Amino acid sequence: MTLMKKHFLTEFENQTSKSRTFFSKAKEIMPGGVTANIKSFDPYPIIMKKGKGAYLYDLDGNEYVDYLLSYGALMLGHGHPKIIQAIQEQLEEDGTMLFGTPHQLELAMGEKIKELYPSMERIRYTNSGTEATLLTVRLAYAYTGKTKIAKFEGHYHGGYDQVLLSLNPSLEEAGQAHAPKSVIESKGIDPYHEKQTIVLPFNDLEHTSDILTKNKDEIAAVILEPIQGGFIPAEPSFMKGLRKLTEELGILLIFDEVKTGFRVGLRGAQGHYNIKPDLTALGKVIGGGFPVGIVGGKEEIMMTSAPSVSSDVFDNSQSKKSSAKDVLFHSGTYNGHPTILAAGLATIKVLEQEIEHVFKMTARLKKGIESLFEHRGITMQTIGLGSIFNVVITEKEKVRNYRDLQQANFSMRKELDFGLLSKGIYTKPLNRYSMATVHGEKEVDCTLEAYDTVLSKMI
Ligand code: PMP
């Protein structure tokens, strides 16, 4: 640890003593003090108490401009009045939190999604991004009759057995860049999945093509973050090539747009690249801050889940139309939750008016950060499209995938992040930046001031 980092850390600890005390109590209740592993960081996470607009306030009363925005979910910031109004109206008009039956908002949101994401010809709702990608994988198995999937190294799709592989593997374990190994990244996952999930090199069409062609009879689908980690874009030629290749090989293409949906444009990455995936998973922004996922895709694939086609596991009658095995089972008590869909529809409405402002502010912040580094002769890039970017301190000219990213200077970035936390700029150390409609010139300019001060102390 450098001397300077110690200084930033001391400042951080001095300002957040209530968080430290709280966290030691939380550790007696929850393993590691957190209820989602991602919320943890050393020496302890900051415990927030209040959010308003672009700002978060912690237990010690410190104010932060929030760029984490709940990992990108809050694209209108904290407590947006239009979302609060939509929720209140839904509760008052409908008189209930939950119908437990089909209802009108399911259709209203579905029509909006279909308008913006025409590849989603039929849709289903889930309660999280994880559940959404899980359903896409099952749909792919059901439709193709094959039982393996392929994913890209460094891409996250949720925390379950089939996809929690090769997200952040050590380079010793990860094998060769052009033929990455499948590395399980959690305790409690059956090694069986190492064989069932094949790992591909992102933005490398030649080797992706080799691996897919060799395994085409077993691979049901390729799932990817069209923009890795929300910030490393697929190269357009790679994306085009992957679409063509999967079509030729009879492999489905799944876009996991949980991060990119609405964030790189209202029409997501598929709008940006003008590519029609077979299946799409959405989440985060479309819940307006509440838990949600949406799955959609080609009608004939999605129809494998229609209970009208065949009797599912819930058909108790003695005269079943056919076996439950003939239909794909998908259900959930809270699927299509009316309050959440009302919040989501209100979010889209605001974004339709204000998304350009978010892009403008993102560009202003990126440009400002880049010039502050440039003045100090430090080579870096702000990488990302639309309203998401990351600050990558690297000598590498182009960061195209996981292996390239590993060459970045993470320790300098972490030092910077702790310095910024002490100056009231919030993202989880080493995380990407997500912007919202509530970030204005004032927030961007004070962020740049904080960068200037912290960088001056570091160099
Ligand atoms: N896919 C991607 C691309 C994600 O970024 C995430 C969440 N970070 C998920 C899936 C899982 O979503 P959730 O956390 O809502 O389960």
Side-chain angles (χ1 to χ4, degrees):
M1 187 180 291
T2 64
L3 268 180
M4 204 48 80
K5 189 163 160 197
K6 253 189 203 153
H7 168 76
F8 285 143
L9 214 53
T10 310
E11 222 173 313
F12 170 84
E13 289 180 345
N14 287 343
Q15 286 182 15
T16 56
S17 62
K18 286 189 179 160
S19 285
R20 187 179 46 226
T21 308
F22 181 97
F23 193 61
S24 60
K25 285 189 199 147
K27 282 198 275 197
E28 287 166 26
I29 301 294
M30 292 170 282
V34 289
T35 186
N37 287 12
I38 195 162
K39 292 185 187 175
S40 166
F41 64 82
D42 284 337
Y44 51 85
I46 304 175
I47 316 299
M48 296 299 176
K49 191 164 181 231
K50 190 177 158 71
K52 192 165 193 286
Y55 297 90
L56 277 173
Y57 300 87
D58 71 10
L59 286 184
D60 290 273
N62 297 305
E63 180 184 87
Y64 303 86
V65 182
D66 184 11
Y67 290 104
L68 187 72
L69 290 171
S70 293
Y71 298 90
L74 302 176
M75 204 164 162
L76 309 191
H78 296 276
H80 195 285
K82 285 276 164 44
I83 296 183
I84 293 175
Q85 185 190 348
I87 293 168
Q88 281 170 343
E89 283 173 7
Q90 181 274 319
L91 286 173
E92 276 163 27
E93 281 167 27
D94 296 350
T96 181
M97 287 82 170
L98 199 56
F99 290 104
T101 68
H103 62 89
Q104 292 169 325
L105 285 173
E106 292 176 344
L107 189 59
M109 176 63 95
E111 284 171 347
K112 194 73 212 173
I113 292 294
K114 219 169 145 174
E115 176 195 323
L116 294 171
Y117 296 77
S119 73
M120 298 171 79
E121 295 167 3
R122 292 285 184 279
I123 64 132
R124 278 283 175 98
Y125 297 103
T126 68
N127 302 294
S128 65
T130 295
E131 275 185 47
T133 67
L134 183 58
L135 177 57
T136 63
V137 170
R138 183 178 283 180
L139 282 161
Y141 289 166
Y143 181 73
T144 63
K146 299 189 260 182
T147 57
K148 289 188 180 179
I149 55 161
K151 76 174 284 282
F152 287 92
E153 191 173 60
H155 292 212
Y156 182 68
H157 304 293
Y160 55 93
D161 296 4
Q162 287 139 315
V163 293
L164 199 53
L165 297 104
S166 298
L167 169 67
N168 195 14
S170 71
L171 292 180
E172 293 79 57
E173 284 181 295
Q176 292 173 298
H178 67 273
K181 277 193 188 154
S182 212
V183 181
I184 286 179
E185 293 192 294
S186 168
K187 269 194 172 173
I189 293 183
D190 190 328
Y192 160 84
H193 291 286
E194 253 165 31
K195 291 195 199 74
Q196 292 306 104
T197 301
I198 290 168
V199 177
L200 304 167
F202 191 52
N203 272 330
D204 175 350
L205 191 60
E206 186 193 338
H207 294 106
T208 293
S209 171
D210 289 348
I211 298 168
L212 290 181
T213 305
K214 209 165 107 200
N215 298 283
K216 70 177 169 29
D217 296 332
E218 293 174 309
I219 297 177
V222 173
I223 185 168
L224 83 157
E225 289 194 75
I227 299 177
Q228 180 183 317
F231 65 96
I232 304 177
E235 286 160 7
S237 60
F238 173 79
M239 197 55 110
K240 239 173 117 187
L242 184 66
R243 177 62 285 189
K244 188 162 169 275
L245 184 66
T246 45
E247 257 162 17
E248 284 167 3
L249 298 176
I251 294 172
L252 299 185
L253 182 63
I254 304 172
F255 269 23
D256 177 352
E257 295 230 42
V258 170
K259 284 191 196 86
T260 52
F262 301 91
R263 277 210 160 272
V264 299
L266 285 175
R267 295 167 189 272
Q270 51 200 272
H272 172 78
Y273 288 104
N274 195 21
I275 294 272
K276 257 191 167 184
D278 298 302
L279 290 167
T280 298
L282 296 173
K284 293 198 195 277
V285 170
I286 195 59
F290 295 92
V292 85
I294 306 182
V295 171
K298 275 198 180 132
E299 180 184 348
E300 64 172 322
I301 304 172
M302 292 301 294
M303 283 303 284
T304 55
S305 68
S308 51
V309 170
S310 185
S311 300
D312 73 9
V313 72
F314 282 146
D315 185 347
N316 293 327
S317 69
Q318 281 166 345
S319 55
K320 285 193 177 211
K321 278 179 267 185
S322 57
S323 156
K325 266 197 193 160
D326 295 336
V327 66
L328 179 151
F329 182 73
H330 168 242
S331 202
T333 304
Y334 301 104
N335 291 2
H337 194 291
T339 313
I340 300 175
L341 297 187
L345 281 164
T347 302
I348 297 178
K349 234 183 185 169
V350 174
L351 286 178
E352 282 172 338
Q353 300 299 316
E354 298 184 26
I355 198 163
E356 287 306 322
H357 163 81
V358 187
F359 294 161
K360 215 171 119 193
M361 287 303 114
T362 311
R364 184 184 178 102
L365 182 56
K366 282 165 76 173
K367 203 163 155 240
I369 293 174
E370 278 172 6
S371 82
L372 288 170
F373 274 93
E374 201 184 324
H375 283 150
R376 291 171 171 85
I378 305 168
T379 315
M380 60 80 67
Q381 294 163 44
T382 58
I383 305 174
L385 297 175
S387 64
I388 322 177
F389 71 92
N390 213 342
V391 174
V392 184
I393 303 167
T394 183
E395 299 281 331
K396 213 164 168 68
E397 221 164 272
K398 197 145 179 47
V399 176
R400 299 167 69 236
N401 53 35
Y402 178 72
R403 303 291 170 122
D404 290 349
L405 194 59
Q406 293 321 296
Q407 295 177 32
N409 188 340
F410 292 127
S411 65
M412 186 175 183
R413 168 69 205 272
K414 209 165 172 185
E415 186 176 346
L416 171 71
D417 287 345
F418 274 95
L420 289 168
L421 284 176
S422 306
K423 295 272 165 283
I425 307 301
Y426 189 79
T427 192
K428 185 188 161 188
L430 298 181
N431 216 279
R432 66 190 176 278
Y433 284 59
S434 294
M435 305 275 290
T437 53
V438 288
H439 286 125
E441 287 182 8
K442 179 180 149 218
E443 284 74 25
V444 168
D445 294 348
C446 88
T447 304
L448 292 174
E449 250 173 63
Y451 258 84
D452 199 17
T453 311
V454 173
L455 284 172
S456 301
K457 285 190 192 168
M458 282 171 68
I459 292 143

